[in-house]
Each structure stands twice: as C-alpha cells, then as structure tokens.
C-alpha cells in the first residue's frame, strides 16, 4: 500500500504488521498524553514533587536524555569537523536519535513548567545570572540545529525528492552541514556543561558543590565530557536493537568499532577525571563544609555507597576497559555489555546529581527526604520512549537512514 | 529580549547571554536563508538537478 514511499532496494515488513507495531507504541503514547493533559489541566499537584523536590523524575529524565542525545553532536563533530569519513554511515541515525532525545527533553520541560503558555518568558524575561537560562537558550537553539540536520533526511524520501525544489534544498543543506554541525557542537558544549554546573554551584548543598575554574565548577566539564563519551554508545546500542528487531545488518562492523573505540577512550579519560574529582571532593571540599564521605551514603533507606561504585566502577571503568580493547569491541556479548553499562552510567550520574542532592540533609535537624514519583510522572517519562519508537519506526520505513543497508542485505 | 526592552541593562551578563543567543540564531538563520534562497534560485534556473549527496 505504501510501497511508493519506501526507499529503493530495501525490504520492509507488510503494512498491517507495521500498523500493529505503531498501534502498540501509540497506546503507550496515549497513556502518556493523558497523564500530560492531567498535569496541564489540573496542575503540578498531579506529581509527588514538593518543597524538598523541586527537581524530580522529569528533570532526571531531561538530563539523562540530553546526555544520551549527546551522540548526535559528538558524532557530528567527528564526522564534519575532525573528518572521520566512515561515520557518514551512522551519522543519520545519530541525528535522528539526537532529535528524539532533544524534542523529548523540551516536551518534558513543557510539562514540568506547569504553565507552558508562559514558556517564552525564559527568552524574553531572561534571568542572566542563571545557568538554567543558558541551558534553555542552547537547548532550544540546538534543537533547531538538529531539526535542520534531520530535515534533509526527510527530503530524501523517494516521493519528496522528486519535487525539484526539495531535492535542491536537501542538497544545499548537506553542502553546508559542517556549519550547522560546528554550531551544534558549540551549543552542546555549553548546555551540557551548564546542566552540570547547576549542581556544582550549589554551595548550600555539599553533596553537589564543587570547586572549578572562574565561574565553572568541575561538574560543568564532567557533564560535557560524559555526554560526548556515552552519547555515541547510546547511538550504537539503539542501532544494535534496531538490527535485532529488523533482523538485518544495517551498519558495517568497522563503523561500529571505530565509534566504540573513540567512545571507549572518551569514557576512559572521563572516568579518570571523575575519580580525581570524587577523591578531591571527598577529601577536601566536603570536609571543609563539615561532612565526611559516608555522611552522604548512610542513614537512609536507598542511597548507599553502592550507587557510587555502580556509577564509577561498574558503569565507568568496566565499559571503558572493554571498549578500549580490540578484543572487547570484537566480541558481540562484551560489546553489548559495555554499551548497556555506558548508557546506564550517565543516567546514574544524573540521578545522583539531581535527586540525591535534594535527598541529602544539610542541617543538623534535617532528615533524609525520600521521593516516589506519581504514576502521572512515570507515564509522562515513558511518553518520550513511545514517541521515540514511533519516530524511529517511521524514519526507518520511509527514509534512507542507513546508507549501507542495501549493500549489507543484497537479498532484499 | 532586545536592548530596547525596558528590562535590558548594558552589563556583561546581558551582553554575553543575549549576545550568544542572537549570535547562534543569526548563524542558523543565515545558513537556512542561504539554503532556501539557493534552492529557489537553482530551481528557477533549472540548475543542479543532478546533484546528489552522500
């Protein structure tokens, strides 16, 4: 029925099967939309946020998807600025995943601000002393850049490409993509960093507070670094999942291995910096504020020292070692393990930097404050996942996302 | 926010923040204007129909 829209030389599942798949994801999406409408019409009393948790599940999800979406800017940087030509075979997918991540982040923010009609206030009545203002500026601009990077892909659809104007527009956008990629890398560096800077400047919260250079705490650089390191792992992981679902090889192994190797070295250097930062914080910064390391990891039902070990050793050191070694990259099981751990790593990091910061008591009469998200918060956090599945499915079906697909699957 | 708005102040924070925003938006805007303008021009003159990317 829709065969005229499917790229030439590739095989796709029957329309009924595709419709069923989209229907299943659509049901989850509708559940999220319902929860979203409840939050908009009834207000933020639908959430379990309170005076202790002004930042909650949504902000964690926001920071996590932004970190994982970092694969788009870093792969774009490697492809267009550094000149790693092999990455042209995965850059489309990295852009698509980045587009989904950033549009999801903006959607979550639109729910989180409670009154989305006033969302433009942050641009017009900007608080120029807030790192979050800079985040909002860069996030929005970078979403614009990702849209510009995604549009040429849409224009390459078989039917759209037949329109002379769209064909030329797509070509022109490809021609100057390096300019957009460089702008994207610049914007990403600052907003990824400022998200880390937010917890780093909280001098009233010794769990998050860090020293740094000029106005930038060390967390500023660590957040950017971790996004650039782990974002490409998310891109590879989603590629592997897509290959599993479609039953096809979509990207050549040398491309995967190159990106995995670069990511491995980035994770390795990041985790060394993170260990130094943690050690200095535990030995100098926190004691100066009157705290010992174990004060942050005891006397509460959830946040034990395990979370620090999970973040740094299991989801940092282990994937770095696997991805740096050639044997690790070539072993499918080891590669998959490393990718999953490398994706969990920044998610745990963002969780502790957003939620453990809030949970930790800072005054002698304070207690640990635990937080459990409401179903509306959970549903609206799952909403972007369903949206992502739908957009990836539509893009895979109708757009030439993987340039090597035809070559790798000649029987189609 | 523009310099002619009543909230504007000529201090470093406003110049850096808002300057950065308008700088990025200008690059994105000029880039897209070039692409769209050239696409119109080429379509009108029937040039570049055999150009392929990748």
């Amino acid at each position: 029925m829709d065969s005229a829209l499917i790229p030439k030389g590739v095989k796709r599942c029957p329309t009924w099967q595709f419709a069923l798949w989209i229907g299943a994801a659509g049901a989850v999406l509708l559940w999220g939309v319902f929860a979203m409408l409840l939050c908009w019409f009834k207000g933020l009393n639908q959430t379990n946020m309170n005076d202790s948790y002004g930042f909650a599940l949504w902000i964690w999800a926001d920071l996590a998807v932004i970190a994982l979406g970092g694969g788009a800017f870093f792969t774009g940087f490697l492809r267009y600025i550094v000149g790693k030509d092999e990455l042209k075979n995965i850059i489309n997918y990295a852009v698509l995943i980045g587009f989904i991540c950033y549009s999801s982040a903006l959607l979550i923010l639109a729910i989180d601000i409670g009154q989305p009609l006033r969302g433009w206030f942050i641009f017009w009545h900007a608080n120029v002393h807030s790192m979050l203002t800079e985040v909002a500026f860069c996030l929005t601009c970078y979403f614009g850049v990702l849209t510009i990077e995604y549009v040429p892909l849409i224009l390459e659809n078989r039917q759209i490409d037949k329109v002379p104007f769209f064909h030329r527009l797509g070509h022109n956008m490809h021609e100057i993509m390096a300019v957009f990629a460089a702008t994207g890398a610049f914007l990403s560096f600052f907003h990824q960093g400022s998200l880390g800077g937010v917890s780093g400047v909280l001098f009233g919260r010794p769990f998050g507070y860090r020293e740094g250079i000029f106005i930038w705490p060390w967390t500023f650089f660590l957040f950017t670094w971790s996004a650039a390191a782990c974002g490409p792992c998310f891109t590879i992981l989603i590629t592997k999942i897509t290959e599993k679902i479609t039953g096809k090889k979509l990207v050549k192994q040398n491309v995967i291995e190159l990106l995995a190797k670069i990511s491995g070295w980035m994770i390795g250097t990041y985790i060394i910096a993170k260990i130094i930062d943690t050690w200095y914080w535990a030995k100098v910064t926190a004691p100066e504020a009157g705290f010992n390391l174990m004060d942050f990891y005891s006397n509460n039902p959830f946040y034990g020292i395990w979370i620090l070990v999970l973040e740094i050793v299991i989801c940092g050191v282990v994937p770095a070692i696997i991805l740096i070694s050639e044997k690790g990259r070539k072993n499918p099981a080891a590669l998959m393990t490393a990718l999953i751990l490398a994706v969990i790593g920044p998610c745990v990091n963002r969780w502790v930097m957003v939620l453990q910061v809030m949970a930790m008591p800072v005054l002698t009469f304070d207690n640990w404050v635990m937080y459990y998200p409401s179903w509306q918060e959970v549903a609206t956090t799952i909403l972007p996942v369903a949206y992502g599945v739908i957009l990836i499915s539509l893009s895979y079906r109708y757009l030439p996302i993987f340039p090597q697909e035809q070559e790798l699957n000649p029987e189609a | 926010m523009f310099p002619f708005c009543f909230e504007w102040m000529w201090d470093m924070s406003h110049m850096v923040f808002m300057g950065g925003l308008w700088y990025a938006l200008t690059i994105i805007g000029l880039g897209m204007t070039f692409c769209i303008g050239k696409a119109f021009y080429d379509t009108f003159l029937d040039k570049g129909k055999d150009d392929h990317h990748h």
Side-chain angles (χ1 to χ4, degrees):
Chain A
M1 194 161 71
D2 57 355
S3 55
L5 293 167
I6 292 171
K8 268 185 187 163
V10 297
K11 199 177 173 203
R12 295 290 180 262
C13 67
T15 312
W16 65 266
Q17 203 176 348
F18 183 68
L20 268 182
W21 169 259
I22 293 291
V28 180
L29 183 94
L30 286 176
W31 178 53
V33 169
F34 174 64
M36 180 180 80
L37 293 175
L38 279 178
C39 293
W40 275 348
F41 287 108
K42 292 194 172 184
L44 293 180
N45 59 5
Q46 299 294 299
T47 73
N48 280 349
M49 290 191 286
N50 52 42
D51 287 346
S52 296
Y53 283 96
F55 284 174
L57 186 71
W58 285 333
I59 294 299
W60 164 74
D62 236 37
L63 266 63
V65 293
I66 287 170
L68 299 177
F73 96 82
F74 192 61
T75 314
F77 173 77
L78 292 170
R79 160 79 176 91
Y80 294 108
I81 313 298
V82 179
K84 293 281 178 194
D85 206 41
E86 301 97 310
L87 297 180
K88 70 182 178 193
N89 297 308
I90 202 168
I91 186 71
N92 291 348
Y93 210 38
V95 164
L96 173 60
I97 292 165
F99 178 85
I100 290 166
C101 287
Y102 276 79
S103 51
S104 300
L106 288 172
L107 174 70
I108 294 171
L109 282 179
I111 307 169
D112 195 24
I113 57 176
Q115 177 52 285
L117 291 178
R118 294 180 187 165
W120 58 276
F121 277 26
I122 200 163
F123 301 100
W124 201 255
H125 307 290
N127 172 7
V128 292
H129 304 291
S130 168
M131 282 199 167
L132 286 177
T133 303
E134 194 264 319
V135 171
F137 284 6
C138 287
L139 206 65
T140 317
C141 289
Y142 185 52
F143 178 63
V145 170
L146 280 170
T147 307
I148 290 169
E149 290 179 343
Y150 181 46
V151 162
L153 266 177
I154 299 173
L155 299 180
E156 280 183 49
N157 172 271
R158 254 170 78 186
Q159 300 305 318
I160 298 175
D161 193 54
K162 286 179 184 169
V163 180
F165 172 74
F166 289 144
H167 175 81
R168 288 168 174 110
L169 179 60
H171 174 74
N172 292 343
M173 289 173 83
H174 271 289
E175 287 290 297
I176 64 161
M177 200 50 83
V179 175
F180 295 124
T183 310
F186 168 80
L187 292 166
S188 286
F189 177 84
F190 280 99
H191 76 249
Q192 298 277 4
S194 288
L195 285 170
V198 169
S199 54
V201 297
L202 294 175
F203 58 83
R205 297 270 177 187
F207 182 76
Y209 179 70
R210 297 290 192 280
E211 291 169 36
I213 305 171
F214 301 119
I215 60 166
W216 299 290
W218 297 125
T219 46
F220 179 98
F221 304 100
L222 289 172
F223 264 50
T224 302
W225 207 334
S226 62
C230 300
C233 286
F234 187 61
T235 305
I236 302 173
L237 181 65
I238 299 294
T239 305
K240 290 283 174 195
I241 292 171
T242 312
E243 285 182 342
K244 198 85 185 159
I245 291 172
T246 58
K248 288 179 185 174
K249 185 87 184 136
L250 299 170
V251 180
K252 283 185 181 171
Q253 194 58 24
N254 69 318
V255 179
I256 298 285
E257 281 182 27
L258 173 67
L259 198 56
K261 184 181 173 183
I262 294 170
S263 197
W265 281 105
M266 288 292 288
I267 295 173
T269 49
Y270 159 72
I271 214 67
I272 290 169
K274 176 73 184 169
I275 289 168
I276 294 169
D277 170 73
T278 306
W279 179 83
Y280 188 81
W281 163 73
K283 287 287 175 192
V284 181
T285 316
E288 279 177 359
F291 288 86
N292 292 316
L293 178 66
M294 286 314 292
D295 291 337
F296 301 116
Y297 298 102
S298 54
N299 301 322
N300 78 87
F302 183 70
Y303 297 108
I305 196 75
W306 64 268
I307 205 162
L308 187 65
V309 176
L310 175 70
E311 182 197 340
I312 293 180
V313 181
I314 300 173
C315 298
V317 176
V318 173
I321 290 170
I322 294 174
L323 294 178
I324 286 171
S325 83
E326 196 178 349
K327 213 181 254 185
R329 291 193 302 273
K330 287 197 184 297
N331 181 323
L335 177 67
M336 199 52 141
T337 307
L339 294 176
I340 292 169
L341 293 177
V343 167
I344 295 172
C347 295
V348 175
N349 174 259
R350 271 45 169 184
W351 181 277
V352 300
M353 286 311 218
V354 171
L355 291 164
Q356 195 172 348
V357 166
M358 300 288 186
M360 164 76 203
V362 288
L363 300 170
T364 50
F365 50 83
D366 272 348
N367 290 314
W368 281 85
V369 188
M370 292 294 118
Y371 152 81
Y372 306 93
S374 67
W375 75 263
Q376 290 92 333
E377 287 173 274
V378 174
T380 44
T381 304
I382 292 172
L383 161 65
V385 179
Y387 151 71
V389 168
I390 292 173
L391 197 55
I392 284 178
S393 304
L394 288 169
S395 300
Y396 171 72
R397 189 171 179 83
Y398 298 120
L399 307 176
I401 298 281
F402 298 103
Q404 295 176 318
E405 184 184 351
Q406 206 177 339
E407 184 189 345
L408 290 168
N409 305 275
E411 78 284 356
Chain B
M1 193 195 299
F2 294 105
F4 49 79
C5 295
F6 76 95
E7 290 167 273
W8 180 269
M9 279 185 283
W10 284 104
D11 59 12
M12 192 54 78
S13 302
H14 278 79
M15 286 190 282
V16 169
F17 263 75
M18 302 312 295
L21 175 66
W22 291 113
Y23 176 65
L25 287 175
T26 303
I27 292 174
I28 295 168
L30 283 177
M32 280 312 292
T33 306
F34 169 78
C35 292
I36 294 169
K38 190 167 183 299
F40 268 119
Y41 178 79
D42 288 347
T43 308
F44 185 69
L45 295 181
D46 202 24
K47 283 166 67 178
K49 60 184 169 191
D50 297 323
D51 287 339
H52 291 287
H53 14 267
H54 296 312

